[in-house]
mmCIF file of all heavy atoms in Angstrom:
data_model
loop_
_atom_site.group_PDB
_atom_site.id
_atom_site.type_symbol
_atom_site.label_atom_id
_atom_site.label_comp_id
_atom_site.label_asym_id
_atom_site.label_seq_id
_atom_site.Cartn_x
_atom_site.Cartn_y
_atom_site.Cartn_z
ATOM 1 N N TYR A 1 -10.762 94.717 159.620
ATOM 2 C CA TYR A 1 -11.628 93.544 159.737
ATOM 3 C C TYR A 1 -12.114 93.252 161.160
ATOM 4 O O TYR A 1 -12.860 92.321 161.380
ATOM 5 C CB TYR A 1 -10.919 92.293 159.176
ATOM 6 C CG TYR A 1 -10.241 92.541 157.859
ATOM 7 C CD1 TYR A 1 -8.872 92.696 157.779
ATOM 8 C CD2 TYR A 1 -11.006 92.658 156.693
ATOM 9 C CE1 TYR A 1 -8.249 92.940 156.553
ATOM 10 C CE2 TYR A 1 -10.396 92.904 155.470
ATOM 11 C CZ TYR A 1 -9.008 93.041 155.418
ATOM 12 O OH TYR A 1 -8.418 93.301 154.212
ATOM 13 N N VAL A 2 -11.650 94.043 162.108
ATOM 14 C CA VAL A 2 -12.042 93.821 163.520
ATOM 15 C C VAL A 2 -12.585 95.099 164.134
ATOM 16 O O VAL A 2 -12.306 96.208 163.668
ATOM 17 C CB VAL A 2 -10.835 93.305 164.360
ATOM 18 C CG1 VAL A 2 -10.365 91.947 163.852
ATOM 19 C CG2 VAL A 2 -9.687 94.308 164.357
ATOM 20 N N ASP A 3 -13.334 94.935 165.190
ATOM 21 C CA ASP A 3 -13.891 96.067 165.934
ATOM 22 C C ASP A 3 -12.933 96.401 167.073
ATOM 23 O O ASP A 3 -13.024 95.823 168.158
ATOM 24 C CB ASP A 3 -15.272 95.694 166.463
ATOM 25 C CG ASP A 3 -15.957 96.864 167.186
ATOM 26 O OD1 ASP A 3 -15.459 97.990 167.042
ATOM 27 O OD2 ASP A 3 -16.949 96.636 167.903
ATOM 28 N N PHE A 4 -11.996 97.305 166.811
ATOM 29 C CA PHE A 4 -10.957 97.630 167.766
ATOM 30 C C PHE A 4 -10.628 99.099 167.680
ATOM 31 O O PHE A 4 -10.324 99.617 166.598
ATOM 32 C CB PHE A 4 -9.695 96.794 167.496
ATOM 33 C CG PHE A 4 -8.603 96.922 168.518
ATOM 34 C CD1 PHE A 4 -8.528 96.027 169.582
ATOM 35 C CD2 PHE A 4 -7.648 97.936 168.420
ATOM 36 C CE1 PHE A 4 -7.513 96.137 170.512
ATOM 37 C CE2 PHE A 4 -6.651 98.056 169.368
ATOM 38 C CZ PHE A 4 -6.580 97.153 170.423
ATOM 39 N N ASP A 5 -10.671 99.787 168.804
ATOM 40 C CA ASP A 5 -10.383 101.218 168.874
ATOM 41 C C ASP A 5 -8.943 101.424 169.367
ATOM 42 O O ASP A 5 -8.669 101.277 170.554
ATOM 43 C CB ASP A 5 -11.399 101.887 169.803
ATOM 44 C CG ASP A 5 -11.289 103.403 169.799
ATOM 45 O OD1 ASP A 5 -10.184 103.935 169.605
ATOM 46 O OD2 ASP A 5 -12.333 104.046 169.996
ATOM 47 N N VAL A 6 -8.044 101.747 168.450
ATOM 48 C CA VAL A 6 -6.634 101.863 168.786
ATOM 49 C C VAL A 6 -6.393 102.955 169.836
ATOM 50 O O VAL A 6 -5.677 102.732 170.814
ATOM 51 C CB VAL A 6 -5.787 102.141 167.528
ATOM 52 C CG1 VAL A 6 -4.343 102.506 167.898
ATOM 53 C CG2 VAL A 6 -5.795 100.940 166.605
ATOM 54 N N GLU A 7 -6.973 104.114 169.625
ATOM 55 C CA GLU A 7 -6.764 105.226 170.537
ATOM 56 C C GLU A 7 -7.307 104.927 171.942
ATOM 57 O O GLU A 7 -6.698 105.275 172.943
ATOM 58 C CB GLU A 7 -7.345 106.510 169.984
ATOM 59 C CG GLU A 7 -6.631 107.015 168.753
ATOM 60 C CD GLU A 7 -5.120 107.132 168.919
ATOM 61 O OE1 GLU A 7 -4.687 107.685 169.943
ATOM 62 O OE2 GLU A 7 -4.381 106.657 168.039
ATOM 63 N N LYS A 8 -8.427 104.253 171.987
ATOM 64 C CA LYS A 8 -9.020 103.863 173.267
ATOM 65 C C LYS A 8 -8.093 102.884 173.992
ATOM 66 O O LYS A 8 -7.887 102.987 175.207
ATOM 67 C CB LYS A 8 -10.392 103.249 173.062
ATOM 68 C CG LYS A 8 -11.146 102.954 174.349
ATOM 69 C CD LYS A 8 -12.554 102.458 174.024
ATOM 70 C CE LYS A 8 -13.349 102.168 175.300
ATOM 71 N NZ LYS A 8 -14.723 101.661 174.953
ATOM 72 N N CYS A 9 -7.544 101.928 173.265
ATOM 73 C CA CYS A 9 -6.623 100.952 173.839
ATOM 74 C C CYS A 9 -5.395 101.648 174.407
ATOM 75 O O CYS A 9 -4.952 101.358 175.529
ATOM 76 C CB CYS A 9 -6.231 99.917 172.804
ATOM 77 S SG CYS A 9 -5.052 98.675 173.399
ATOM 78 N N LYS A 10 -4.830 102.565 173.638
ATOM 79 C CA LYS A 10 -3.634 103.288 174.087
ATOM 80 C C LYS A 10 -3.921 104.142 175.314
ATOM 81 O O LYS A 10 -3.124 104.209 176.247
ATOM 82 C CB LYS A 10 -3.121 104.139 172.933
ATOM 83 C CG LYS A 10 -2.513 103.312 171.807
ATOM 84 C CD LYS A 10 -2.389 104.063 170.503
ATOM 85 C CE LYS A 10 -1.342 105.106 170.520
ATOM 86 N NZ LYS A 10 -1.150 105.722 169.161
ATOM 87 N N GLU A 11 -5.121 104.729 175.334
ATOM 88 C CA GLU A 11 -5.507 105.525 176.501
ATOM 89 C C GLU A 11 -5.631 104.658 177.744
ATOM 90 O O GLU A 11 -5.200 105.021 178.838
ATOM 91 C CB GLU A 11 -6.829 106.237 176.220
ATOM 92 C CG GLU A 11 -7.284 107.182 177.316
ATOM 93 C CD GLU A 11 -8.080 106.506 178.430
ATOM 94 O OE1 GLU A 11 -8.784 105.529 178.121
ATOM 95 O OE2 GLU A 11 -7.947 106.928 179.603
ATOM 96 N N MET A 12 -6.190 103.448 177.586
ATOM 97 C CA MET A 12 -6.337 102.519 178.702
ATOM 98 C C MET A 12 -4.963 102.041 179.194
ATOM 99 O O MET A 12 -4.734 101.924 180.406
ATOM 100 C CB MET A 12 -7.199 101.338 178.307
ATOM 101 C CG MET A 12 -8.659 101.663 178.108
ATOM 102 S SD MET A 12 -9.644 100.219 177.650
ATOM 103 C CE MET A 12 -11.305 100.943 177.572
ATOM 104 N N ALA A 13 -4.057 101.787 178.269
ATOM 105 C CA ALA A 13 -2.719 101.354 178.662
ATOM 106 C C ALA A 13 -2.009 102.456 179.443
ATOM 107 O O ALA A 13 -1.340 102.187 180.453
ATOM 108 C CB ALA A 13 -1.899 101.000 177.413
ATOM 109 N N ARG A 14 -2.163 103.708 179.023
ATOM 110 C CA ARG A 14 -1.505 104.808 179.709
ATOM 111 C C ARG A 14 -2.199 105.154 181.026
ATOM 112 O O ARG A 14 -1.603 105.796 181.895
ATOM 113 C CB ARG A 14 -1.432 106.026 178.779
ATOM 114 C CG ARG A 14 -0.461 105.782 177.630
ATOM 115 C CD ARG A 14 -0.319 106.986 176.710
ATOM 116 N NE ARG A 14 0.731 106.737 175.746
ATOM 117 C CZ ARG A 14 0.573 106.829 174.420
ATOM 118 N NH1 ARG A 14 -0.615 107.165 173.906
ATOM 119 N NH2 ARG A 14 1.578 106.586 173.609
ATOM 120 N N ARG A 15 -3.437 104.714 181.176
ATOM 121 C CA ARG A 15 -4.126 104.928 182.438
ATOM 122 C C ARG A 15 -3.459 104.120 183.554
ATOM 123 O O ARG A 15 -3.372 104.564 184.691
ATOM 124 C CB ARG A 15 -5.597 104.546 182.323
ATOM 125 C CG ARG A 15 -6.463 105.138 183.393
ATOM 126 C CD ARG A 15 -7.909 104.695 183.297
ATOM 127 N NE ARG A 15 -8.529 104.955 182.001
ATOM 128 C CZ ARG A 15 -9.765 104.551 181.668
ATOM 129 N NH1 ARG A 15 -10.481 103.865 182.570
ATOM 130 N NH2 ARG A 15 -10.243 104.825 180.503
ATOM 131 N N VAL A 16 -2.995 102.907 183.210
ATOM 132 C CA VAL A 16 -2.336 102.054 184.217
ATOM 133 C C VAL A 16 -0.819 102.220 184.199
ATOM 134 O O VAL A 16 -0.149 101.877 185.168
ATOM 135 C CB VAL A 16 -2.724 100.566 184.042
ATOM 136 C CG1 VAL A 16 -4.204 100.393 184.231
ATOM 137 C CG2 VAL A 16 -2.288 100.010 182.700
ATOM 138 N N SER A 17 -0.278 102.741 183.093
ATOM 139 C CA SER A 17 1.175 102.916 182.974
ATOM 140 C C SER A 17 1.442 104.178 182.162
ATOM 141 O O SER A 17 1.648 104.111 180.937
ATOM 142 C CB SER A 17 1.825 101.698 182.323
ATOM 143 O OG SER A 17 3.224 101.841 182.260
ATOM 144 N N PRO A 18 1.423 105.345 182.776
ATOM 145 C CA PRO A 18 1.500 106.621 182.053
ATOM 146 C C PRO A 18 2.703 106.763 181.142
ATOM 147 O O PRO A 18 2.624 107.463 180.119
ATOM 148 C CB PRO A 18 1.537 107.663 183.173
ATOM 149 C CG PRO A 18 0.863 107.010 184.323
ATOM 150 C CD PRO A 18 1.256 105.547 184.243
ATOM 151 N N ASP A 19 3.806 106.131 181.477
ATOM 152 C CA ASP A 19 5.034 106.308 180.694
ATOM 153 C C ASP A 19 5.289 105.189 179.710
ATOM 154 O O ASP A 19 6.378 105.132 179.106
ATOM 155 C CB ASP A 19 6.236 106.440 181.633
ATOM 156 C CG ASP A 19 6.137 107.671 182.528
ATOM 157 O OD1 ASP A 19 5.640 108.710 182.038
ATOM 158 O OD2 ASP A 19 6.533 107.589 183.708
ATOM 159 N N ILE A 20 4.338 104.279 179.512
ATOM 160 C CA ILE A 20 4.562 103.150 178.620
ATOM 161 C C ILE A 20 4.786 103.620 177.182
ATOM 162 O O ILE A 20 4.137 104.560 176.710
ATOM 163 C CB ILE A 20 3.384 102.150 178.688
ATOM 164 C CG1 ILE A 20 3.770 100.795 178.067
ATOM 165 C CG2 ILE A 20 2.114 102.720 178.045
ATOM 166 C CD1 ILE A 20 2.786 99.671 178.362
ATOM 167 N N THR A 21 5.731 103.024 176.516
ATOM 168 C CA THR A 21 6.031 103.309 175.106
ATOM 169 C C THR A 21 5.242 102.332 174.252
ATOM 170 O O THR A 21 5.260 101.131 174.510
ATOM 171 C CB THR A 21 7.540 103.149 174.820
ATOM 172 O OG1 THR A 21 8.266 104.082 175.616
ATOM 173 C CG2 THR A 21 7.831 103.389 173.358
ATOM 174 N N ILE A 22 4.522 102.861 173.257
ATOM 175 C CA ILE A 22 3.617 102.028 172.463
ATOM 176 C C ILE A 22 4.007 102.099 170.984
ATOM 177 O O ILE A 22 4.176 103.206 170.428
ATOM 178 C CB ILE A 22 2.148 102.487 172.628
ATOM 179 C CG1 ILE A 22 1.737 102.398 174.089
ATOM 180 C CG2 ILE A 22 1.219 101.636 171.753
ATOM 181 C CD1 ILE A 22 0.360 102.990 174.378
ATOM 182 N N TYR A 23 4.143 100.937 170.369
ATOM 183 C CA TYR A 23 4.401 100.860 168.928
ATOM 184 C C TYR A 23 3.277 100.057 168.278
ATOM 185 O O TYR A 23 2.957 98.960 168.750
ATOM 186 C CB TYR A 23 5.759 100.202 168.642
ATOM 187 C CG TYR A 23 6.920 100.982 169.177
ATOM 188 C CD1 TYR A 23 7.654 100.501 170.259
ATOM 189 C CD2 TYR A 23 7.297 102.199 168.615
ATOM 190 C CE1 TYR A 23 8.735 101.221 170.768
ATOM 191 C CE2 TYR A 23 8.359 102.933 169.133
ATOM 192 C CZ TYR A 23 9.060 102.428 170.201
ATOM 193 O OH TYR A 23 10.114 103.148 170.717
ATOM 194 N N GLU A 24 2.698 100.602 167.222
ATOM 195 C CA GLU A 24 1.700 99.887 166.449
ATOM 196 C C GLU A 24 2.425 99.130 165.356
ATOM 197 O O GLU A 24 3.098 99.735 164.504
ATOM 198 C CB GLU A 24 0.690 100.870 165.852
ATOM 199 C CG GLU A 24 -0.060 101.675 166.895
ATOM 200 C CD GLU A 24 -0.923 102.764 166.285
ATOM 201 O OE1 GLU A 24 -1.494 102.536 165.180
ATOM 202 O OE2 GLU A 24 -1.016 103.839 166.894
ATOM 203 N N ILE A 25 2.300 97.801 165.363
ATOM 204 C CA ILE A 25 3.071 96.983 164.438
ATOM 205 C C ILE A 25 2.226 95.896 163.779
ATOM 206 O O ILE A 25 1.141 95.546 164.239
ATOM 207 C CB ILE A 25 4.266 96.293 165.149
ATOM 208 C CG1 ILE A 25 3.759 95.248 166.161
ATOM 209 C CG2 ILE A 25 5.175 97.320 165.831
ATOM 210 C CD1 ILE A 25 4.841 94.304 166.656
ATOM 211 N N SER A 26 2.764 95.376 162.703
ATOM 212 C CA SER A 26 2.277 94.125 162.130
ATOM 213 C C SER A 26 3.498 93.253 161.895
ATOM 214 O O SER A 26 4.330 93.553 161.025
ATOM 215 C CB SER A 26 1.540 94.342 160.814
ATOM 216 O OG SER A 26 1.335 93.095 160.154
ATOM 217 N N SER A 27 3.622 92.181 162.661
ATOM 218 C CA SER A 27 4.764 91.295 162.467
ATOM 219 C C SER A 27 4.641 90.501 161.174
ATOM 220 O O SER A 27 5.607 89.908 160.702
ATOM 221 C CB SER A 27 4.898 90.348 163.657
ATOM 222 O OG SER A 27 3.720 89.634 163.891
ATOM 223 N N ARG A 28 3.442 90.509 160.581
ATOM 224 C CA ARG A 28 3.236 89.805 159.313
ATOM 225 C C ARG A 28 3.687 90.654 158.133
ATOM 226 O O ARG A 28 4.419 90.182 157.236
ATOM 227 C CB ARG A 28 1.777 89.413 159.123
ATOM 228 C CG ARG A 28 1.502 88.540 157.883
ATOM 229 C CD ARG A 28 0.059 88.133 157.798
ATOM 230 N NE ARG A 28 -0.799 89.280 157.487
ATOM 231 C CZ ARG A 28 -1.051 89.689 156.234
ATOM 232 N NH1 ARG A 28 -0.494 89.083 155.214
ATOM 233 N NH2 ARG A 28 -1.834 90.731 156.040
ATOM 234 N N THR A 29 3.300 91.934 158.104
ATOM 235 C CA THR A 29 3.644 92.820 156.970
ATOM 236 C C THR A 29 4.901 93.630 157.217
ATOM 237 O O THR A 29 5.480 94.162 156.259
ATOM 238 C CB THR A 29 2.477 93.795 156.679
ATOM 239 O OG1 THR A 29 2.367 94.718 157.771
ATOM 240 C CG2 THR A 29 1.166 93.026 156.528
ATOM 241 N N GLY A 30 5.310 93.788 158.465
ATOM 242 C CA GLY A 30 6.465 94.599 158.790
ATOM 243 C C GLY A 30 6.114 96.044 159.144
ATOM 244 O O GLY A 30 6.985 96.831 159.515
ATOM 245 N N GLU A 31 4.843 96.399 159.068
ATOM 246 C CA GLU A 31 4.422 97.762 159.372
ATOM 247 C C GLU A 31 4.812 98.134 160.814
ATOM 248 O O GLU A 31 4.543 97.388 161.752
ATOM 249 C CB GLU A 31 2.905 97.887 159.224
ATOM 250 C CG GLU A 31 2.361 99.259 159.523
ATOM 251 C CD GLU A 31 0.847 99.366 159.352
ATOM 252 O OE1 GLU A 31 0.250 98.417 158.805
ATOM 253 O OE2 GLU A 31 0.280 100.392 159.762
ATOM 254 N N GLY A 32 5.425 99.257 160.978
ATOM 255 C CA GLY A 32 5.770 99.781 162.296
ATOM 256 C C GLY A 32 6.978 99.133 162.945
ATOM 257 O O GLY A 32 7.405 99.577 164.035
ATOM 258 N N MET A 33 7.563 98.130 162.340
ATOM 259 C CA MET A 33 8.663 97.416 162.991
ATOM 260 C C MET A 33 9.939 98.263 163.092
ATOM 261 O O MET A 33 10.716 98.083 164.021
ATOM 262 C CB MET A 33 8.957 96.111 162.249
ATOM 263 C CG MET A 33 7.794 95.078 162.279
ATOM 264 S SD MET A 33 7.424 94.489 163.952
ATOM 265 C CE MET A 33 8.777 93.314 164.207
ATOM 266 N N ASP A 34 10.141 99.175 162.147
ATOM 267 C CA ASP A 34 11.369 99.990 162.191
ATOM 268 C C ASP A 34 11.415 100.827 163.458
ATOM 269 O O ASP A 34 12.501 101.067 164.021
ATOM 270 C CB ASP A 34 11.450 100.880 160.960
ATOM 271 C CG ASP A 34 11.870 100.120 159.711
ATOM 272 O OD1 ASP A 34 12.399 98.993 159.861
ATOM 273 O OD2 ASP A 34 11.670 100.627 158.599
ATOM 274 N N ALA A 35 10.258 101.306 163.904
ATOM 275 C CA ALA A 35 10.255 102.098 165.151
ATOM 276 C C ALA A 35 10.647 101.237 166.335
ATOM 277 O O ALA A 35 11.388 101.678 167.234
ATOM 278 C CB ALA A 35 8.868 102.709 165.359
ATOM 279 N N TRP A 36 10.156 100.021 166.377
ATOM 280 C CA TRP A 36 10.538 99.047 167.386
ATOM 281 C C TRP A 36 12.032 98.770 167.345
ATOM 282 O O TRP A 36 12.725 98.760 168.381
ATOM 283 C CB TRP A 36 9.705 97.782 167.200
ATOM 284 C CG TRP A 36 10.185 96.504 167.788
ATOM 285 C CD1 TRP A 36 10.436 95.338 167.107
ATOM 286 C CD2 TRP A 36 10.428 96.198 169.184
ATOM 287 N NE1 TRP A 36 10.817 94.340 167.964
ATOM 288 C CE2 TRP A 36 10.834 94.829 169.238
ATOM 289 C CE3 TRP A 36 10.365 96.935 170.353
ATOM 290 C CZ2 TRP A 36 11.137 94.199 170.435
ATOM 291 C CZ3 TRP A 36 10.688 96.302 171.554
ATOM 292 C CH2 TRP A 36 11.062 94.954 171.583
ATOM 293 N N TYR A 37 12.569 98.594 166.149
ATOM 294 C CA TYR A 37 14.016 98.336 165.999
ATOM 295 C C TYR A 37 14.829 99.543 166.459
ATOM 296 O O TYR A 37 15.934 99.385 166.996
ATOM 297 C CB TYR A 37 14.348 97.968 164.532
ATOM 298 C CG TYR A 37 13.636 96.754 164.040
ATOM 299 C CD1 TYR A 37 13.402 96.605 162.654
ATOM 300 C CD2 TYR A 37 13.175 95.755 164.871
ATOM 301 C CE1 TYR A 37 12.752 95.492 162.159
ATOM 302 C CE2 TYR A 37 12.526 94.634 164.395
ATOM 303 C CZ TYR A 37 12.294 94.506 163.038
ATOM 304 O OH TYR A 37 11.646 93.411 162.527
ATOM 305 N N GLY A 38 14.320 100.730 166.187
ATOM 306 C CA GLY A 38 15.017 101.931 166.631
ATOM 307 C C GLY A 38 15.122 101.991 168.148
ATOM 308 O O GLY A 38 16.154 102.385 168.701
ATOM 309 N N TRP A 39 14.009 101.637 168.799
ATOM 310 C CA TRP A 39 14.025 101.594 170.274
ATOM 311 C C TRP A 39 15.056 100.579 170.761
ATOM 312 O O TRP A 39 15.834 100.871 171.681
ATOM 313 C CB TRP A 39 12.634 101.230 170.794
ATOM 314 C CG TRP A 39 12.530 101.201 172.262
ATOM 315 C CD1 TRP A 39 12.254 102.244 173.113
ATOM 316 C CD2 TRP A 39 12.681 100.050 173.145
ATOM 317 N NE1 TRP A 39 12.228 101.831 174.440
ATOM 318 C CE2 TRP A 39 12.496 100.471 174.451
ATOM 319 C CE3 TRP A 39 12.987 98.705 172.895
ATOM 320 C CZ2 TRP A 39 12.609 99.606 175.557
ATOM 321 C CZ3 TRP A 39 13.105 97.854 173.957
ATOM 322 C CH2 TRP A 39 12.913 98.284 175.273
ATOM 323 N N LEU A 40 15.073 99.385 170.171
ATOM 324 C CA LEU A 40 16.052 98.371 170.538
ATOM 325 C C LEU A 40 17.472 98.870 170.351
ATOM 326 O O LEU A 40 18.324 98.676 171.215
ATOM 327 C CB LEU A 40 15.825 97.116 169.694
ATOM 328 C CG LEU A 40 14.696 96.174 170.076
ATOM 329 C CD1 LEU A 40 14.565 95.062 169.035
ATOM 330 C CD2 LEU A 40 14.926 95.569 171.455
ATOM 331 N N ALA A 41 17.716 99.498 169.224
ATOM 332 C CA ALA A 41 19.094 99.954 168.921
ATOM 333 C C ALA A 41 19.569 100.938 169.983
ATOM 334 O O ALA A 41 20.719 100.868 170.435
ATOM 335 C CB ALA A 41 19.123 100.603 167.541
ATOM 336 N N GLY A 42 18.704 101.865 170.389
ATOM 337 C CA GLY A 42 19.085 102.842 171.388
ATOM 338 C C GLY A 42 19.394 102.199 172.733
ATOM 339 O O GLY A 42 20.359 102.572 173.406
ATOM 340 N N ARG A 43 18.594 101.232 173.110
ATOM 341 C CA ARG A 43 18.796 100.566 174.410
ATOM 342 C C ARG A 43 20.014 99.670 174.407
ATOM 343 O O ARG A 43 20.747 99.603 175.387
ATOM 344 C CB ARG A 43 17.564 99.766 174.788
ATOM 345 C CG ARG A 43 16.291 100.576 174.982
ATOM 346 C CD ARG A 43 16.510 101.770 175.881
ATOM 347 N NE ARG A 43 15.316 102.498 176.243
ATOM 348 C CZ ARG A 43 14.694 103.395 175.489
ATOM 349 N NH1 ARG A 43 15.181 103.675 174.276
ATOM 350 N NH2 ARG A 43 13.639 104.033 175.926
ATOM 351 N N ILE A 44 20.242 98.963 173.313
ATOM 352 C CA ILE A 44 21.442 98.107 173.223
ATOM 353 C C ILE A 44 22.707 98.973 173.279
ATOM 354 O O ILE A 44 23.672 98.632 173.968
ATOM 355 C CB ILE A 44 21.422 97.281 171.930
ATOM 356 C CG1 ILE A 44 20.262 96.256 172.000
ATOM 357 C CG2 ILE A 44 22.742 96.542 171.735
ATOM 358 C CD1 ILE A 44 19.997 95.520 170.687
ATOM 359 N N ALA A 45 22.692 100.094 172.580
ATOM 360 C CA ALA A 45 23.849 100.996 172.589
ATOM 361 C C ALA A 45 24.117 101.529 173.986
ATOM 362 O O ALA A 45 25.266 101.637 174.420
ATOM 363 C CB ALA A 45 23.605 102.140 171.611
#
C-alpha cells in the first residue's frame, strides 16, 4: 500500500553503515520477528 523500495533502503543503510544487520519485520503480524529474536538470543547468551 506504500511506495517504498526495500532494496534501495537497505543499500542506503549499508552505504553509511556497511556492517549493519537488517531485519524486515512487522510488529503487527509477527512477520520476520523470529529472526530478530534469534539475534537477541545469541547476544544474550
Side-chain angles (χ1 to χ4, degrees):
Y1 313 105
V2 297
D3 183 13
F4 187 93
D5 188 327
V6 170
E7 293 308 313
K8 187 176 181 181
C9 178
K10 291 161 71 173
E11 185 274 327
M12 289 180 178
R14 290 183 174 125
R15 199 183 304 176
V16 298
S17 183
D19 297 323
I20 195 168
T21 298
I22 301 173
Y23 297 110
E24 300 173 36
I25 67 167
S26 168
S27 55
R28 186 178 69 86
T29 69
E31 180 180 349
M33 296 295 283
D34 284 343
W36 160 237
Y37 300 154
W39 182 87
L40 281 174
R43 298 311 188 278
I44 293 170

